[in-house]
């Protein structure tokens, strides 16, 4: 029973680490994409 509880805790910790990694990656990519789109938009904007 102790081994089963330990396995469940290990899977829960692994899942939390995985969710944190995905969240951080999503935030980074979202920011990078917005910066790139803004750069492209500024390049396409015609100014006199």
């Amino acid at each position: 029973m102790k081994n089963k509880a330990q396995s469940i805790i290990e899977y829960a910790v692994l899942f939390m680490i995985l969710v944190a990694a995905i969240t951080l990656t999503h935030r980074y990519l979202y920011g990078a994409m917005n910066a790139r789109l803004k750069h492209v938009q500024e390049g396409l904007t015609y100014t006199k």
Side-chain angles (χ1 to χ4, degrees):
M1 188 69 175
K2 185 178 179 183
N3 286 340
K4 186 175 181 180
Q6 184 178 357
S7 293
I8 291 172
I9 291 171
E10 289 172 353
Y11 280 118
V13 170
L14 182 63
F15 179 74
M16 287 189 297
I17 291 171
L18 184 63
V19 168
I22 291 171
T23 301
L24 292 173
T25 302
H26 179 264
R27 286 184 181 180
Y28 172 76
L29 289 177
Y30 183 78
M33 233 183 340
N34 278 341
R36 178 70 176 141
L37 288 173
K38 184 175 181 180
H39 180 71
V40 170
Q41 182 184 15
E42 289 171 354
L44 293 175
T45 303
Y46 178 75
T47 56
K48 288 185 178 182

